[in-house]
Amino acid sequence: NWCGRGDMACGMKTFVVIVEAENDIPTLNEISNLVLEEDVAQQSVFLTGISDGDHGDQPLRVTASSSLPNLISSPELIFHPATADAELRFQPAPNQYGVTTITVQVEDGGLDQNLATQSDNAVFIRSFQVSVLAVNDLPGIMPVDNLTLFEQGPKSVILRGVHAGENEIQPLKVTASSDNPAVISSADV
């Protein structure tokens, strides 16, 4: 309604307001950073709060990737649409350490409810870091076979496969002892 001042003329104008649907951004709760030791078993990270950001009727695609595939390659993601959560499984490569960023992407099917037509899909990305700490691996040596030594002959043993541990480079001290000093004294070892 509107009215003029001077002559008190009044009128009415009707119009239509159209509110268009909009595709809201999907959701995913925060994910805490992880600190692990080298050579750990498979890890599981539970992801919660996964939604299309709208009314919950759009299909979702949830994927994960690692920024350092030599450390963590191809994280496995198991999405449970009915409960709006997922499980992310991964295992650092053996004897590797460093920091990688795991990126989780939630994509909805858009207003047309179709993940294949990506022009109207909305995407939400959340990342977290996984730090894998180096550990001091045990040194090793190849097994030494039993030996027959002659009383007057040379008494030496060749040691093979002596190492500081997988991917380790620190100096080593190798010692030996005899369990029968009457035959070979510890001073001769």
Side-chain angles (χ1 to χ4, degrees):
N1 291 339
W2 56 270
C3 293
R5 286 188 177 222
D7 60 1
M8 297 304 279
C10 292
M12 181 188 294
K13 177 84 171 161
T14 303
F15 58 92
V16 176
V17 175
I18 299 173
V19 178
E20 301 236 350
E22 184 175 293
N23 187 22
D24 292 328
I25 300 294
T27 64
L28 169 62
N29 290 347
E30 286 196 35
I31 308 165
S32 298
N33 294 331
L34 293 175
V35 177
L36 309 170
E37 287 190 347
E38 175 184 322
D39 301 327
V40 296
Q42 178 176 298
Q43 301 294 300
S44 289
V45 175
F46 295 95
L47 309 176
T48 59
I50 300 170
S51 79
D52 64 9
D54 290 301
H55 307 291
D57 57 351
Q58 296 176 10
L60 294 173
R61 178 175 21 239
V62 185
T63 58
S65 62
S66 169
S67 67
L68 192 57
N70 290 341
L71 182 60
I72 296 176
S73 66
S74 306
E76 176 188 9
L77 198 134
I78 303 160
F79 177 46
H80 309 283
T83 57
D85 62 14
E87 181 181 359
L88 180 65
R89 296 179 186 165
F90 61 88
Q91 183 170 6
N95 300 307
Q96 299 296 313
Y97 56 90
V99 178
T100 186
T101 300
I102 304 290
T103 302
V104 180
Q105 177 176 298
V106 180
E107 179 182 7
D108 68 24
L111 297 174
D112 65 358
Q113 311 271 331
N114 189 340
L115 286 165
T117 57
Q118 296 180 337
S119 61
D120 70 334
N121 296 358
V123 174
F124 180 78
I125 294 174
R126 189 172 300 280
S127 298
F128 66 101
Q129 285 191 333
V130 178
S131 300
V132 180
L133 306 177
V135 297
N136 187 7
D137 291 326
L138 291 174
I141 186 171
M142 290 178 66
V144 178
D145 292 332
N146 291 332
L147 298 172
T148 301
L149 300 175
F150 297 103
E151 188 175 344
Q152 298 302 318
K155 294 176 179 83
S156 64
V157 176
I158 297 173
L159 303 177
R160 300 191 193 286
V162 178
H163 61 86
E166 289 287 327
N167 296 328
E168 303 282 338
I169 58 171
Q170 58 268 62
L172 295 174
K173 178 180 179 181
V174 179
T175 59
S177 62
S178 171
D179 67 351
N180 190 346
V183 177
I184 299 177
S185 72
S186 292
D188 292 336
V189 176

